Amino acid sequence: MSNFCPIKRFDHLEFYVGNAKQAALFYSKGFGFTNTAYRGLETGYRKATSYVMEQGDICLVLSTGLSPDHEIAQSVLQHGDAIAVIALEVADAASAYRESTARGAVGAIPPTEEEDESGVFRYCAIHAYGDTLIKFVERSNYTGSFAPGFEPRQASQSNGVGLKAIDHLVANVELGAMNRWAQFFSDTMGFDLLVHFDEQTISTDYSALKSKVMQDSTGKIKLPINEPAQGKGKSQIEEYLEYNCGPGIQHVAYATNNIIETVSQLRASGIEFLRIPKTYYHNLEKRVGKIDEPIEKLAELGILVDRDQDGYLLQIFTQPVEDRPTLFFEVIERHGSQSFGEGNFKDLFEAIEREQAQRGNL
Ligand code: FE2
């Protein structure tokens, strides 16, 4: 039943941005990505520019529209720089489109084929939350650089800052919409509910929220969906919805095998993280048990720890990476634990609320 829309992997995330040239420098100097392919005026494409940025198995595409009426420029006007497209690799894009739309997904781009000397590249897309698209990409018959029309740039030779893969991708949706979108992933793509958090699990005075984590049949694609819950003031989800002008991607979690090394490099290149009070580290070992990493080092870098029955995890969250308090990133290192750091939710949300208060949005 759940095999009607098999997903191979995250193919890429496409960001619609105001200035892809500058964003490419931010993701390369700040986050260790390499620009591996490019499409724009110089390659004969007149409408937009796109920079393909790679690190480990992660691929980001940064795109800017070259005229005010281009859909990318329109999206940036509305949402600011944001993740507009979640691209998933499939074996058969036309089948993914047929199966998902037959089950209620709304089509955005019908099955499309592009061909050059490197083979055939197929894709299509359906609408998800807000203005976000889910794009199905079929690249098994294509050997070229990213997609037809793109020219290769630098080969991705360095290991960057050690980011390996997309661990999970979180969306914020409107009050009352979480169940509808969880059902959407279940109905149209055969995803299952992995875990459900309610406002009792995730609650401070302000930041009550509910979350359902949907995952595909392989467990490789994890998509948590948050909605705000009734609290005393404006929750972090409401702040996001206001500044993003609607639902969208809140954060991307990148997996690393060495979070201490990764975060040290990110901090050295100027990436800012949420500030966690030093008191978090008092009695940490009592709360989470024995871990391999030195607690003093984690405290120095602001890395959080959580444990469940399967093991432990280390995680950290950046400040928003746009001027609008919308998108941010997480870096996560898993030692057995497959959860999301529930034990840290309270400390984390209090840290977010301190920043929200500084922005005058609490
Ligand atoms: Fe996360």
Side-chain angles (χ1 to χ4, degrees):
M1 185 47 201
S2 58
N3 275 334
F4 58 82
C5 188
I7 311 288
K8 286 186 172 179
R9 53 186 285 276
F10 278 110
D11 190 88
H12 65 273
L13 301 175
E14 184 169 10
F15 293 57
Y16 288 174
V17 300
N19 188 334
K21 188 173 200 165
Q22 289 188 5
L25 197 66
F26 175 76
Y27 285 100
S28 104
K29 300 289 183 205
F31 281 91
F33 285 84
T34 303
N35 177 211
T36 56
Y38 172 80
R39 183 179 72 177
L41 293 173
E42 298 83 348
T43 69
Y45 191 71
R46 312 296 302 171
K47 296 176 178 166
T49 55
S50 291
Y51 293 73
V52 177
M53 311 296 294
E54 291 187 76
Q55 180 172 183
D57 291 331
I58 308 161
C59 179
L60 311 178
V61 180
L62 308 168
S63 298
T64 290
L66 295 179
S67 62
D69 58 340
H70 192 279
E71 58 173 359
I72 295 177
Q74 293 292 316
S75 170
V76 171
L77 182 65
Q78 181 82 359
H79 305 295
D81 289 9
I83 295 175
V85 181
I86 305 166
L88 304 173
E89 190 186 350
V90 295
D92 184 341
S95 161
Y97 189 84
R98 194 172 56 243
E99 298 294 336
S100 59
T101 53
R103 290 169 169 83
V106 178
I109 305 171
T112 304
E113 203 170 279
E114 288 177 10
E115 204 170 346
D116 66 11
E117 64 285 354
S118 299
V120 187
F121 181 82
R122 297 189 179 93
Y123 62 93
C124 54
I126 57 172
H127 287 282
Y129 23 62
D131 291 328
T132 313
L133 298 184
I134 292 175
K135 193 169 186 177
F136 297 114
V137 171
E138 178 188 330
R139 56 169 71 257
S140 51
N141 298 307
Y142 190 73
T143 56
S145 183
F146 189 67
F150 282 77
E151 278 183 0
R153 284 266 173 110
Q154 228 176 313
S156 181
Q157 73 287 65
S158 88
N159 120 76
V161 299
L163 302 177
K164 295 281 178 202
I166 296 172
D167 186 274
H168 59 276
L169 181 65
V170 183
N172 286 341
V173 301
E174 312 94 317
L175 182 67
M178 175 188 69
N179 283 329
R180 181 158 53 84
W181 287 108
Q183 197 63 45
F184 165 85
F185 284 100
S186 165
D187 289 347
T188 68
M189 294 168 64
F191 281 36
D192 295 312
L193 176 66
L194 174 64
V195 57
H196 178 197
F197 304 110
D198 60 20
E199 55 266 66
Q200 271 74 49
T201 337
I202 313 179
S203 163
T204 63
D205 279 354
Y206 295 94
S207 243
L209 69 87
K210 298 187 211 177
S211 189
K212 277 190 170 175
V213 182
M214 303 303 291
Q215 74 170 2
D216 76 323
S217 58
T218 68
K220 274 190 238 163
I221 311 292
K222 291 191 179 70
L223 304 177
I225 304 165
N226 298 332
E227 74 169 29
Q230 230 46 262
K232 211 160 82 177
K234 190 186 285 176
S235 75
Q236 47 166 305
I237 310 299
E238 289 169 290
E239 188 193 36
Y240 173 98
L241 293 169
E242 183 180 316
Y243 281 88
N244 190 60
C245 296
I249 298 298
Q250 177 209 40
H251 76 269
V252 186
Y254 298 124
T256 173
N257 294 331
N258 187 345
I259 196 167
I260 289 180
E261 188 52 38
T262 297
V263 173
S264 300
Q265 289 190 46
L266 291 173
R267 281 196 180 277
S269 54
I271 300 304
E272 296 175 321
F273 293 89
L274 278 184
R275 284 176 282 265
I276 300 298
K278 290 290 175 226
T279 50
Y280 173 86
Y281 297 92
H282 301 162
N283 302 318
L284 180 64
E285 202 156 345
K286 260 200 192 122
R287 300 205 308 275
V288 301
K290 196 99 195 86
I291 57 169
D292 297 342
E293 295 73 14
I295 304 265
E296 319 77 70
K297 194 69 192 167
L298 300 179
E300 179 195 319
L301 294 169
I303 294 167
L304 307 174
V305 191
D306 195 26
R307 183 182 286 279
D308 61 21
Q309 67 281 0
D310 301 316
Y312 72 96
L313 62 79
L314 304 159
Q315 62 184 169
I316 191 168
F317 298 84
T318 71
Q319 299 276 3
V321 291
E322 321 294 350
D323 288 306
R324 301 191 198 193
T326 50
L327 179 69
F328 60 89
F329 298 113
E330 172 181 352
V331 179
I332 186 166
E333 179 178 340
R334 295 186 181 278
H335 289 259
S337 169
Q338 290 308 310
S339 67
F340 297 88
E342 293 87 284
N344 290 323
F345 283 172
K346 195 168 189 326
D347 293 291
L348 186 62
F349 294 159
E350 283 166 359
I352 293 176
E353 283 163 16
R354 284 190 292 275
E355 313 276 345
Q356 237 181 300
Q358 277 185 8
R359 295 191 285 261
N361 287 334
L362 194 59

